[in-house]
Amino acid sequence: MKISLTVNGLPVSWECEPHEFLTEVLRREGLIGTKRGCEQGDCGACAVLLDGVEVPSCIVLAAQADGHEVLTIEGLGSFDAPHPIQRAFVDETAIQCGYCTPGMVIATKALLDENPTPEVGDVRETLAGHVCRCTGYVKPIKAVLTAAEKMRAE
């Protein structure tokens, strides 16, 4: 089947099978920043924004994204021009192996779009669905708060 959607601000039309999940199609189309994790919607590695709402793309059928807008980590910033959230994760050394980082950054984008002045509890709740197997969450929480501060100052 053919789906038409907007991905990272660009209109696309892709072929997919009715049973394929969005993660699979995104990665097949070269957007490999969206990671495959638990494939049950529990770990957060595959997080994308679907019409501005964070979703686990491993349990969203690609067909459900037809006609909608998807933002992946690739659409947020680039290596040469990182988004303030990405910059904050680097500055706060919140990136360990990096596997969970794209999902955390996407979750942070959703949080800060809705709440530009989050408290620590808001950040903890947001990152609760993102499993980091390397270490704790102290640095990612600090990165989210730093990103919020920098984005408010811009």
Side-chain angles (χ1 to χ4, degrees):
M1 68 182 295
K2 189 173 198 164
I3 58 171
S4 297
L5 58 157
T6 301
V7 178
N8 299 332
L10 300 174
V12 297
S13 292
W14 292 334
E15 290 290 330
C16 68
E17 297 296 324
H19 63 274
E20 280 189 293
F21 290 103
L22 186 56
T23 302
E24 297 169 274
V25 176
L26 288 170
R27 291 183 61 81
R28 184 178 63 233
E29 295 296 332
L31 298 167
I32 59 172
T34 301
K35 305 298 185 214
R36 296 178 87 172
C38 67
E39 299 189 18
Q40 297 177 356
D42 291 334
C43 76
C46 66
V48 298
L49 298 186
L50 181 62
D51 294 335
V53 176
E54 181 191 359
V55 298
S57 63
C58 70
I59 59 169
V60 173
L61 292 170
Q64 291 177 291
D66 186 38
H68 294 277
E69 192 169 317
V70 173
L71 178 71
T72 71
I73 192 70
E74 289 92 347
L76 197 56
S78 68
F79 185 81
D80 294 327
H83 187 279
I85 296 170
Q86 294 167 317
R87 183 82 256 154
F89 270 73
V90 171
D91 290 348
E92 298 296 340
T93 61
I95 300 170
Q96 286 94 39
C97 80
Y99 199 82
C100 66
T101 305
M104 286 190 184
V105 169
I106 289 293
T108 300
K109 171 82 169 107
L111 170 66
L112 299 182
D113 284 350
E114 186 176 310
N115 178 5
T117 57
E119 299 289 329
V120 170
D122 302 320
V123 177
R124 286 180 189 269
E125 187 174 320
T126 294
L127 298 183
H130 294 267
V131 178
C132 173
R133 292 168 179 90
C134 295
T135 184
Y137 293 83
V138 173
K139 290 180 178 182
I141 290 169
K142 176 72 174 143
V144 174
L145 295 172
T146 298
E149 185 178 312
K150 287 182 177 181
M151 290 171 67
R152 284 192 308 269
E154 290 182 354

